């Protein structure tokens, strides 16, 4: 009886694989980057696009361009990004796929990849991941927070918790897109509130966003920690404009 059950389960798996391959002949999964049909073993991106991704590789570089950009603006330990961002480039396609098309698995995948890089050195001291919060109205419309999705992938590798209830967005500000540096900073003034500093006393926090342009959003998010000497703040973005 047990053997029969195993054989039945095995046959069902083979049947599932067969139909999956059969359907792929007519409705192939396509690469998010180049649009070509993916072959067996590829997931979301073809090997060519994965190889050619604009990886920043700066996580272990002291005084990298992000740390230099944010210097003096906030009390910062480290800052890094996984990918360089260019308008109409492959990184933008990936972010749009996550942010506007609900491809959460893609966000998790890149979160895991980013997490592996961060485990190589300086960021090993991070205790908790804190995603940039969405305003409740926007969260209700979108159904998920793309920064939290990235954090979930990072957490799987880094083996540290994601704290999505530490901060809240109390102002539903307009989008930062198409705003200049000064407008971006004015647009995010006072939009975040720290709910309970006691939860993270003595910890090293990594504030995480999907994309960093001027750094105004993450800077505003770090402001409530400004006078808390027992908390260390670092910043990470999946993608950043160089």
């Amino acid at each position: 009886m047990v053997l029969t059950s195993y054989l039945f389960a095995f046959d069902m798996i083979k049947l599932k694989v067969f139909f999956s391959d059969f359907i792929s002949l007519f409705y192939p999964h396509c690469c998010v980057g180049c649009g070509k049909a993916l072959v067996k073993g590829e997931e979301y991106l073809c090997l060519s696009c994965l190889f050619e991704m604009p990886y920043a590789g700066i996580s272990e570089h002291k005084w990298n361009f992000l740390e230099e950009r944010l210097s003096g603006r906030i009390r910062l330990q480290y800052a890094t990004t996984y990918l360089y961002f260019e308008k109409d480039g492959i990184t933008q396609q990936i972010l749009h796929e996550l942010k506007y098309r609900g491809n959460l698995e893609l966000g998790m995948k890149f979160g895991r990849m980013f997490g592996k890089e961060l485990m190589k050195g300086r960021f090993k001291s991070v205790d908790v991941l804190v995603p940039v919060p969405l305003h409740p109205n926007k969260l209700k419309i979108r159904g998920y927070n793309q920064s939290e999705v990235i954090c979930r992938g990072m957490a799987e590798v880094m083996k540290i918790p994601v704290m999505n209830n530490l901060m809240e967005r109390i102002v539903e500000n307009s989008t930062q897109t198409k705003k200049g540096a000064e407008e971006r900073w004015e647009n995010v003034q006072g939009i975040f509130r720290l709910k309970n500093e006691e939860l993270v006393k003595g910890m090293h926090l990594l504030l995480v966003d999907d994309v960093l342009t001027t750094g105004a959003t993450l800077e505003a998010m770090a402001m409530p920690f400004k006078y808390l000497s027992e908390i260390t703040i670092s910043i990470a973005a999946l993608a950043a404009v160089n």
Side-chain angles (χ1 to χ4, degrees):
M1 186 68 177
V2 175
L3 180 59
T4 303
S5 298
Y6 277 127
L7 290 174
F8 176 75
F10 184 65
D11 287 339
M12 290 302 293
I13 292 170
K14 288 196 294 183
L15 196 61
K16 184 178 179 181
V17 171
F18 170 78
F19 276 111
S20 177
D21 290 344
F22 181 75
I23 291 170
S24 294
L25 291 173
F26 301 96
Y27 303 100
H29 296 293
C30 295
C31 174
V32 171
C34 64
K36 294 180 180 177
L38 297 175
V39 300
K40 197 167 185 177
E42 294 179 337
E43 188 179 36
Y44 306 114
L45 289 161
C46 66
L47 290 178
S48 178
C49 283
L50 267 177
F51 181 76
E52 294 174 3
M53 290 291 298
Y55 300 107
I58 64 169
S59 295
E60 292 307 301
H61 295 182
K62 296 180 180 179
W63 202 242
N64 59 56
F65 77 94
L66 285 182
E67 293 175 357
E68 184 177 354
R69 183 181 301 175
L70 296 166
S71 175
R73 292 163 57 178
I74 52 177
R75 184 168 53 84
L76 182 70
Q77 185 76 0
Y78 308 125
T80 191
T81 185
Y82 188 57
L83 302 168
Y84 288 123
F85 179 91
E86 289 185 3
K87 187 174 174 57
D88 299 324
I90 188 171
T91 303
Q92 186 178 43
Q93 291 174 296
I94 288 167
L95 291 173
H96 277 206
E97 187 75 14
L98 166 61
K99 194 170 181 177
Y100 302 115
R101 296 173 188 159
N103 195 336
L104 308 190
E105 284 299 318
L106 181 64
M108 290 280 289
K109 176 184 176 70
F110 273 91
R112 288 190 289 268
M113 292 165 66
F114 196 7
K116 285 179 183 178
E117 179 176 299
L118 296 183
M119 287 302 291
K120 292 177 182 177
R122 295 196 301 167
F123 289 85
K124 282 184 178 180
S125 63
V126 170
D127 297 301
V128 65
L129 301 166
V130 185
V132 173
L134 290 180
H135 189 274
N137 292 342
K138 185 167 285 186
L139 183 60
K140 186 176 181 180
I141 293 170
R142 186 170 296 165
Y144 61 93
N145 178 351
Q146 70 277 5
S147 296
E148 183 180 344
V149 173
I150 295 165
C151 280
R152 295 293 175 192
M154 295 167 73
E156 284 187 16
V157 176
M158 299 176 77
K159 307 300 181 187
I160 56 176
V162 177
M163 194 168 285
N164 60 2
N165 61 348
L166 178 65
M167 305 192 75
E168 61 181 345
R169 202 174 193 126
I170 57 176
V171 177
E172 190 176 8
N173 60 317
S174 58
T175 179
Q176 296 283 71
T177 308
K178 297 183 180 179
K179 283 183 168 61
E182 188 173 342
E183 289 177 304
R184 284 173 181 264
W185 172 238
E186 292 173 354
N187 191 45
V188 295
Q189 285 297 293
I191 69 171
F192 298 110
R193 184 175 76 87
L194 179 59
K195 294 168 71 175
N196 191 345
E197 65 189 70
E198 293 299 319
L199 289 175
V200 290
K201 207 168 185 178
M203 291 187 179
H204 183 179
L205 311 184
L206 185 61
L207 311 185
V208 180
D209 204 358
D210 57 343
V211 61
L212 186 155
T213 305
T214 63
T217 299
L218 284 167
E219 182 179 350
M221 188 177 169
M223 279 299 173
F225 299 98
K226 188 175 182 179
Y227 300 107
L228 304 178
S229 59
E230 295 183 52
I231 294 175
T232 303
I233 298 294
S234 290
I235 280 173
L238 182 62
V241 177
N242 190 352

